[in-house]
């Protein structure tokens, strides 16, 4: 997936290894808000964790098993989105986060649209899944805005702040994406 400039001017591209401090700073500045919905935030509390993540993400990108992109305004990290891919079943699961100062502008909807398009068009997955905590209305709204179908609720499938939490599971099939795009 190539570097893309979104209509807002936000640039979606691969992270670089030297950007671990910027990624840490972006998450750390909103740790409480992000941690409410994303289990990984509680475990990524040092720059080293972000350095390891970026190195792993770059390897996985080359292997074609994961695709992680940062969202940048200049050299400032303002969010991220990515997908893990099950190559055998041709299924991808997408996740995303955005700094609060960029919410409500359509940035993440456009970024996820680009990522999902890549997964269907260039990577030839058959199904894309988005899972979000039931109470995470902003994340769920992106899936709904993009036309994903709510399949159901996975009971207590996320651990948020040590509390088992239900997740809403959305999916999009390739033929549905083609009809809608």
């Amino acid at each position: 997936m190539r570097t893309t400039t979104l209509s807002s001017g936000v640039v979606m591209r691969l992270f670089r290894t030297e950007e671990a401090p910027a990624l840490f700073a972006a998450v750390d500045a909103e740790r409480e808000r992000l941690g409410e919905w994303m289990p990984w935030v509680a475990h990524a509390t040092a720059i080293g964790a972000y350095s390891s993540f970026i190195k792993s993400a770059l390897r996985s990108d080359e292997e074609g098993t994961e695709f992680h992109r940062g969202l940048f305004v200049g050299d400032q990290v303002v969010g991220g989105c990515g997908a893990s891919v099950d190559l055998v079943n041709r299924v991808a699961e997408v996740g995303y986060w955005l700094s609060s100062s960029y919410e409500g502008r359509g940035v993440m909807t456009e970024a996820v649209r680009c990522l999902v398009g890549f997964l269907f068009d260039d990577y030839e997955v058959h199904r894309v899944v988005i899972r979000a905590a039931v109470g995470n209305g902003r994340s769920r709204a992106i899936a709904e805005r993009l036309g994903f179908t709510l399949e159901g609720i996975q009971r207590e499938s996320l651990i948020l702040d040590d509390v088992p939490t239900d997740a809403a599971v959305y999916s999009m099939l390739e033929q549905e994406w083609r009809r809608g795009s």
Side-chain angles (χ1 to χ4, degrees):
M1 184 175 176
R2 68 186 190 294
T3 297
T4 303
T5 301
L6 305 176
S7 61
S8 62
V10 172
V11 175
M12 187 166 107
R13 65 166 173 78
L14 279 168
F15 287 103
R16 299 180 188 123
T17 53
E18 64 271 15
E19 292 170 330
L23 178 56
F24 170 78
V27 172
D28 201 47
E30 302 205 34
R31 183 167 300 282
E32 186 175 326
R33 183 182 70 83
L34 295 174
E36 182 178 1
W37 306 117
M38 288 169 262
W40 59 267
V41 172
H43 305 285
T45 58
I47 291 173
Y50 295 88
S51 180
S52 295
F53 163 74
I54 292 171
K55 289 175 187 172
S56 175
L58 293 171
R59 277 192 308 276
S60 296
D61 196 87
E62 288 178 14
E63 295 166 359
T65 57
E66 293 182 12
F67 303 96
H68 295 280
R69 297 298 181 265
L71 299 174
F72 294 86
V73 173
D75 59 358
Q76 179 188 9
V77 178
V78 299
C81 65
S84 298
V85 181
D86 173 345
L87 296 169
V88 173
N89 293 302
R90 294 178 36 222
V91 174
E93 184 169 341
V94 172
Y96 40 87
W97 67 274
L98 189 64
S99 296
S100 58
S101 58
Y102 285 85
E103 287 181 339
R105 302 182 191 187
V107 172
M108 192 51 73
T109 300
E110 186 177 1
V112 173
R113 182 181 291 116
C114 288
L115 180 60
V116 170
F118 163 76
L119 292 166
F120 284 128
D121 296 340
D122 298 353
Y123 211 68
E124 300 178 3
V125 300
H126 173 71
R127 170 183 160 87
V128 174
V129 174
I130 294 175
R131 285 186 332 132
V134 168
N136 189 346
R138 287 180 106 52
S139 188
R140 292 182 66 180
I142 290 168
E144 292 167 4
R145 207 173 293 123
L146 292 173
F148 278 65
T149 298
L150 176 62
E151 290 187 338
I153 305 301
Q154 283 183 328
R155 297 179 313 140
E156 299 185 357
S157 64
L158 299 172
I159 303 297
L160 299 174
D161 200 22
D162 290 326
V163 176
T165 304
D166 294 349
V169 179
Y170 293 86
S171 70
M172 173 73 68
L173 302 177
E174 180 183 13
Q175 64 267 25
E176 295 168 336
W177 182 259
R178 303 261 177 254
R179 281 196 302 262
S181 39

